[in-house]
Amino acid sequence: MPTLPSAPIAAAGLLGGYATARFTKNRRLGGAVLAAAGTITHLQWRHATTPRTATPRTATALTATYLTAFGASHPLAKKLGAWPSVAVVTAATAGAAWVLSDRKRNG
């Protein structure tokens, strides 16, 4: 059974986590969305369908990118605004996921 590419899941976690926290006024709920998507993507990166993409190094690098994006969006928001900041870090994270995992898996 084919799996959904990890890039849209990572994007949904970052965008969805922020949107959930913002619109519900519940940061913990937003964090739960962020954590759930992060867990799913980490598992995908760690246990990819081909040996070329399933490496601990790739999983660690992409998970670190995901977490760094979350952290970087906060100071970046002071310069760009909240939504543009989240959009920038989401694009960077999804791009990294596609380049380092999804493209190799499907190519």
Side-chain angles (χ1 to χ4, degrees):
M1 179 173 174
T3 60
L4 187 65
S6 64
I9 298 170
L14 290 165
L15 289 171
Y18 175 70
T20 300
R22 179 164 180 141
F23 295 122
T24 66
K25 308 274 192 252
N26 187 334
R27 292 176 66 132
R28 289 183 185 197
L29 186 57
V33 171
L34 182 80
T39 300
I40 291 167
T41 53
H42 176 77
L43 291 172
Q44 280 191 305
W45 296 325
R46 183 71 175 100
H47 305 290
T49 56
T50 65
R52 289 187 321 169
T53 61
T55 67
R57 182 177 289 167
T58 300
T60 300
L62 287 171
T63 301
T65 300
Y66 183 81
L67 295 172
T68 300
F70 169 70
S73 68
H74 292 81
L76 192 58
K78 292 179 182 182
K79 296 184 185 289
L80 301 178
W83 280 109
S85 169
V86 172
V88 167
V89 301
T90 298
T93 303
W98 183 79
V99 168
L100 295 176
S101 181
D102 298 340
R103 177 179 61 141
K104 293 177 182 178
R105 184 182 309 166
N106 297 322

